[in-house]
Amino acid sequence: MHIASQACFPLAYGAARALRNCAMALVFATTAAAAEPQTLVALGDSLTAGYGLPPEEGFVPQLQNWLNAKGKDVTIINAGVSGDTTAGGLARLDWSLTPETDAMIVNLGGNDLLRGLDPASSRANLDAILSKASERDLPVLLVGLEAPSNYGPAFKQAFDAMYPELAEQYGADLDTNFFAPLTAELDIAAARQKYLQADGIHPSAEGVAVIVEAIGPQVEKLLERAAD
């Protein structure tokens, strides 16, 4: 605004020239502000961190490249920590969200699921994360997972429901199941063979590419929300 304020003073140039300079300065300032890159924080566990993959083939780098190819001027902060639970994500949320943060992806709950933690506890942690994001007026894309049936129907119902219900409560965008794109055209056995690493849990580089292609448009919409 320093440039604009100088141009708006008539001084000896006359009122007409001052108005022209003022208008040009305001346009320049608005354009410069609009051109500022966005910052997107990806808060998650090993699925976000890129466990088992070369650094350039993980979820965040592949999503970064996808968005760059779409002309998006955004920097994604990889706030994924392998082994983290929803409680761990909540514990480090405050320092993960830098002042420059414009939007956030939340992809947590997989380790809660693997450990059989009470879905009520997982839900409370995600609730707190979304609440803090809401306090900062940050748009969020909440990425869900689905519990297998071997945990029992009550566990599965509670776990699966927490993502859409919290997204609706906080007005967050929702990706219902991180792994769903892998079985869009293949059965589970074939998808596991083609798209997962040897551990049968984490996606391979090819699997990540399929996931990014599916989730990318939702991230684009998230960034558009953040720019409004």
Side-chain angles (χ1 to χ4, degrees):
M1 294 305 295
H2 180 63
I3 296 174
S5 63
Q6 287 186 331
C8 289
F9 284 110
L11 297 177
Y13 294 97
R17 180 172 294 182
L19 288 173
R20 182 196 66 191
N21 291 345
C22 180
M24 291 177 63
L26 289 173
V27 169
F28 174 81
T30 301
T31 302
E36 291 181 0
Q38 293 177 291
T39 298
L40 171 63
V41 170
L43 183 73
D45 49 34
S46 56
L47 299 178
T48 299
Y51 175 86
L53 298 173
E56 69 276 8
E57 294 183 350
F59 174 74
V60 168
Q62 289 205 46
L63 180 59
Q64 178 77 69
N65 291 338
W66 192 94
L67 291 169
N68 289 348
K70 297 293 183 179
K72 298 297 182 182
D73 190 7
V74 59
T75 298
I76 308 178
I77 305 300
N78 191 342
V81 174
S82 294
D84 228 354
T85 61
T86 55
L90 174 59
R92 57 190 174 83
L93 179 65
D94 289 337
W95 59 262
S96 295
L97 294 178
T98 65
E100 296 78 22
T101 302
D102 296 298
M104 180 170 61
I105 298 172
V106 177
N107 185 9
L108 288 163
N111 289 304
D112 300 52
L113 184 58
L114 289 174
R115 300 177 190 182
L117 301 180
D118 184 354
S121 176
S122 302
R123 183 184 183 119
N125 293 327
L126 289 174
D127 190 318
I129 290 171
L130 292 174
S131 177
K132 287 181 179 243
S134 180
E135 289 172 2
R136 290 188 49 170
D137 199 26
L138 292 176
V140 173
L141 172 60
L142 181 61
V143 182
L145 294 167
E146 291 184 5
S149 57
N150 60 300
Y151 282 96
F155 184 105
K156 179 173 174 57
Q157 181 179 6
F159 186 92
D160 292 356
M162 69 182 179
Y163 294 104
E165 290 176 359
L166 286 172
E168 182 177 4
Q169 178 181 343
Y170 286 98
D173 295 339
L174 175 68
D175 182 88
T176 55
N177 186 353
F178 183 78
F179 289 103
L182 304 185
T183 55
E185 298 181 358
L186 299 174
D187 61 34
I188 294 177
R192 183 180 293 113
Q193 179 69 26
K194 184 174 183 178
Y195 293 133
L196 295 186
Q197 297 178 42
D199 62 10
I201 297 175
H202 298 92
S204 63
E206 186 177 1
V208 170
V210 172
I211 292 168
V212 165
E213 191 67 31
I215 202 173
Q218 291 179 277
V219 179
E220 280 191 290
K221 291 179 182 178
L222 179 72
L223 295 173
E224 289 169 3
R225 283 184 60 195
D228 290 341

